[in-house]
Amino acid sequence: LPFFLSSSKRGNLFFNCYKEQDELENIYKSGQAEFVVVYGRRRVGKTFLVREMFDERLSFYNTALSPFEMEKENGSLLIQQQLAVFAESLRNYGDYHDGSPKDWIQAFRWLKELLGRKARKKRLVVFLDELPWMDTPRSGFMTAFEHFWNGWGAGQHNLMLIVCGSASSWINDKLINNTGGLYGRTTREIHLAPFSLQECKQYFHLRNLKMSDYDILQYYMVMGGIPYYMSYVEKGKSLPQNIDNLFFKRKSKLLLEFDRLFKSLFVGPQKYVNILRLLSNRKLGYTRGEIAKKLKMNSGGGLTSLLLSLEACDFIKQYIPFGSSRRNTHYKLTDLFCIFYFNFVDDHKNNSTTFWQDNHRSPTLNAWRGFAFEEVCFSHQECLKKALGVNGVNCEVSVWRNNDTDDHTQIDMVIQRADNVINICEMKFCTSEFEIDKNYSRELNRKIDVFMHKTKTKKTIHLTFVTTYGVKQNTYSGMADNIITMDSLFKL
């Protein structure tokens, strides 16, 4: 149920994605040939959005077989199976051919014949789902697909071709940034992002799941706003109970999700997983050179390609630490589901079926919460800027770390503003108001002094706290120039 709730009469109430719905509807009414790419992280709801938007208006729909289900098959058999599925889809929409096409050239010829028999004035909506999966090795798929669009589809003013894919790196390389036959051929690209905290809250409310913002925030830190994962949260169960049911009980619904996710996205997924596992060990991430050294890889084009693919699939982000040059570009793991997985599920770290219920107040889980909360703040930085009243001001958001061998002072978030102010942000996930004591106040003052000395900044420094419930008023609380609570993260 990523975007809607079904009523008792089976009517569908769309939830979220109003912008994407409007855009797709306008494209439908454009009166010209359209080649639309809908992409985003797996399980984010791309297929659901398109199918629910067009439903009975689809002239043809095919979804490829998942390579996860076909991992033991040889190459030629993979092609045959994908072609067989395509042929079955053709017959579902009125095609008369028996058997399967011999290759993708013939498959798209059959599709052209099918569409040619349909009403010429009617808008023809063709939806090819998980397109990257059809492009199996030595299948000739891309050659046939390019010929289908360039040689026929682009000239059909009533055709709207929609393709989807979770393998965003493939989508970028083969479609959006294609330098070959499909160069500049896509007419629209729609990136579907995970839910924000506000959207998660609305989603749970529509499902009549009663929970506090504090719990919604923790669900987000586990699932990263992925609708498919959140659809498994059960009514009447506490957060620890739901987490145990989803990840730690035998045959739990999301226990194998990580493996399925990467096997469906990448050929030879282990090298991608190794990079993510390394990045999970350090919240600031590593440079490309550091990654190569630690994983004993060549730091050349091969590693660059892997990093670009992971970034295109929204698992990692690159950033330049405050005051550094592009040569010091860092890569950090930002996918919250992966951060959770590497901390608690990877390599069968926990055998208890009630792990979360038994340990939800432990130091280990508290350390993870701190890490994950920082990532939530980064992904909701527009909310932070709005809370600071600077959403209309040009800002650069980064992190900073002192590289001196004897002092590794670091700042969780640095917001450098065009109005001559720098917000130095401390993010604290707590069960109640955060308390600044004497020792911590000294540490904060030292941290600010080191930052100003090392960066030589002349801008005004504002110490900013981002916490779940605010800062407790005491002798030292006045040192905070700004206090932002989790409520602001729920406001777009």
Side-chain angles (χ1 to χ4, degrees):
L1 298 175
F3 300 105
F4 80 110
L5 297 173
S6 295
S7 71
S8 57
K9 297 181 180 180
R10 304 297 295 173
N12 293 338
L13 172 65
F14 269 97
F15 170 73
N16 196 29
C17 283
Y18 305 117
K19 174 185 173 184
E20 289 81 3
Q21 292 173 54
D22 289 343
E23 187 172 1
L24 284 170
E25 192 62 36
N26 289 334
I27 295 170
Y28 179 82
K29 296 175 180 178
S30 72
Q32 61 188 24
E34 298 280 5
F35 182 176
V36 185
V37 179
V38 181
Y39 66 105
R41 189 193 185 284
R42 180 163 162 80
R43 307 296 198 186
V44 81
K46 303 177 298 298
T47 301
F48 188 89
L49 172 65
V50 176
R51 292 190 65 178
E52 289 298 311
M53 270 293 298
F54 295 102
D55 195 17
E56 296 180 358
R57 292 186 284 180
L58 289 173
S59 303
F60 177 73
Y61 166 62
N62 179 70
T63 186
L65 288 174
S66 166
F68 181 84
E69 308 299 340
M70 306 159 61
E71 60 182 348
K72 296 181 181 179
E73 308 294 352
N74 62 52
S76 61
L77 185 55
L78 285 177
I79 300 170
Q80 294 173 24
Q81 290 177 328
Q82 296 288 13
L83 288 169
V85 169
F86 196 87
E88 185 64 29
S89 296
L90 285 167
R91 285 189 283 272
N92 289 340
Y93 285 88
D95 185 60
Y96 59 84
H97 290 96
D98 294 324
S100 301
K102 64 180 181 180
D103 53 31
W104 282 111
I105 292 288
Q106 187 175 63
F108 280 107
R109 184 184 305 128
W110 288 4
L111 176 57
K112 286 188 290 185
E113 292 173 2
L114 173 67
L115 297 174
R117 292 193 295 271
K118 296 183 181 287
R120 291 188 176 273
K121 293 184 179 180
K122 177 184 176 183
R123 188 59 150 164
L124 299 176
V125 181
V126 174
F127 179 26
L128 302 181
D129 193 16
E130 293 298 358
L131 196 74
W133 293 351
M134 300 182 201
D135 187 26
T136 52
R138 297 178 295 281
S139 66
F141 172 80
M142 282 305 297
T143 299
F145 181 67
E146 289 175 6
H147 180 69
F148 167 74
W149 179 254
N150 294 337
W152 183 80
Q156 309 301 311
H157 297 298
N158 62 334
L159 177 62
M160 180 179 180
L161 171 64
I162 307 173
V163 301
C164 270
S166 301
S168 299
S169 57
W170 188 98
I171 294 289
N172 279 321
D173 293 342
K174 299 293 183 74
L175 300 181
I176 298 175
N177 299 319
N178 187 285
T179 57
L182 288 178
Y183 176 76
R185 295 296 187 173
T186 60
T187 57
R188 310 289 178 92
E189 292 100 30
I190 299 174
H191 179 257
L192 201 58
F195 283 176
S196 66
L197 278 170
Q198 183 193 61
E199 291 161 343
C200 289
K201 184 173 183 176
Q202 294 171 342
Y203 171 76
F204 286 132
H205 175 74
L206 287 173
R207 286 191 55 202
N208 199 28
L209 292 171
K210 298 176 181 179
M211 63 181 73
S212 65
D213 287 356
Y214 182 78
D215 277 358
I216 295 173
L217 177 56
Q218 289 187 85
Y219 277 120
Y220 197 92
M221 293 192 299
V222 173
M223 302 175 181
I226 303 300
Y228 176 81
Y229 302 159
M230 294 192 303
S231 69
Y232 284 122
V233 174
E234 294 184 44
K235 184 177 180 180
K237 287 185 169 60
S238 68
L239 183 144
Q241 288 175 320
N242 268 307
I243 299 302
D244 281 333
N245 287 345
L246 293 176
F247 293 98
F248 299 108
K249 286 195 173 180
R250 294 175 181 82
K251 298 183 179 180
S252 53
K253 293 181 174 65
L254 296 180
L255 181 61
L256 300 178
E257 172 62 17
F258 185 88
D259 288 338
R260 289 179 173 273
L261 176 63
F262 281 87
K263 287 180 180 178
S264 68
L265 292 179
F266 304 112
V267 176
Q270 192 57 50
K271 52 184 177 289
Y272 296 92
V273 173
N274 290 341
I275 293 174
L276 295 184
R277 184 177 286 114
L278 171 65
L279 295 180
S280 71
N281 295 325
R282 189 182 184 195
K283 67 179 181 180
L284 295 180
Y286 294 98
T287 65
R288 184 174 64 178
E290 289 172 331
I291 295 170
K293 181 178 180 180
K294 289 181 178 295
L295 294 180
K296 298 179 181 179
M297 300 173 64
N298 189 304
S299 62
L303 177 57
T304 299
S305 177
L306 296 176
L307 293 171
L308 288 174
S309 295
L310 288 170
E311 188 173 13
C313 292
D314 296 325
F315 291 113
I316 67 174
K317 282 186 172 59
Q318 58 173 293
Y319 73 95
I320 301 174
F322 181 86
S324 295
S325 66
R326 185 166 294 278
R327 288 179 299 177
N328 196 34
T329 297
H330 280 57
Y331 296 85
K332 64 181 295 190
L333 175 61
T334 57
D335 184 86
L336 289 162
F337 174 78
C338 290
I339 292 172
F340 172 83
Y341 176 86
F342 285 122
N343 271 275
F344 303 110
V345 185
D346 190 30
D347 294 331
H348 307 286
K349 290 181 178 178
N350 305 294
N351 295 319
S352 171
T353 59
T354 56
F355 172 77
W356 213 255
Q357 295 174 72
D358 298 337
N359 296 278
H360 71 281
R361 296 186 183 277
S362 69
T364 301
L365 266 64
N366 286 335
W368 161 79
R369 289 186 181 101
F371 184 6
F373 182 60
E374 290 180 20
E375 289 306 321
V376 174
C377 291
F378 271 97
S379 66
H380 288 71
Q381 57 187 256
E382 294 303 316
C383 297
L384 298 182
K385 289 190 283 187
K386 184 176 180 180
L388 291 169
V390 297
N391 48 316
V393 178
N394 185 38
C395 299
E396 294 181 9
V397 181
S398 188
V399 301
W400 179 81
R401 185 185 188 211
N402 184 14
N403 292 319
D404 287 356
T405 56
D406 58 342
D407 181 1
H408 294 299
T409 299
Q410 64 185 46
I411 295 174
D412 300 334
M413 179 185 287
V414 178
I415 303 177
Q416 182 175 208
R417 296 156 38 178
D419 57 359
N420 204 44
V421 171
I422 293 177
N423 290 91
I424 288 182
C425 302
E426 291 282 303
M427 279 86 83
K428 301 295 180 183
F429 186 91
C430 309
T431 58
S432 60
E433 290 181 315
F434 178 74
E435 184 173 2
I436 305 174
D437 60 22
K438 183 177 180 179
N439 290 334
Y440 186 55
S441 69
R442 287 177 176 173
E443 173 60 22
L444 287 171
N445 285 323
R446 189 196 67 82
K447 183 182 292 190
I448 293 172
D449 288 342
V450 173
F451 174 80
M452 295 182 69
H453 173 70
K454 291 295 182 179
T455 62
K456 295 179 172 54
T457 182
K458 301 300 183 183
K459 292 191 174 185
T460 301
I461 303 297
H462 285 180
L463 179 59
T464 302
F465 276 84
V466 185
T467 75
T468 41
Y469 294 108
V471 174
K472 184 177 181 179
Q473 293 297 308
N474 64 13
T475 305
Y476 307 101
S477 59
M479 68 185 304
D481 297 290
N482 311 101
I483 299 173
I484 301 173
T485 65
M486 67 176 170
D487 294 342
S488 295
L489 299 175
F490 284 83
K491 298 175 183 177
L492 294 178

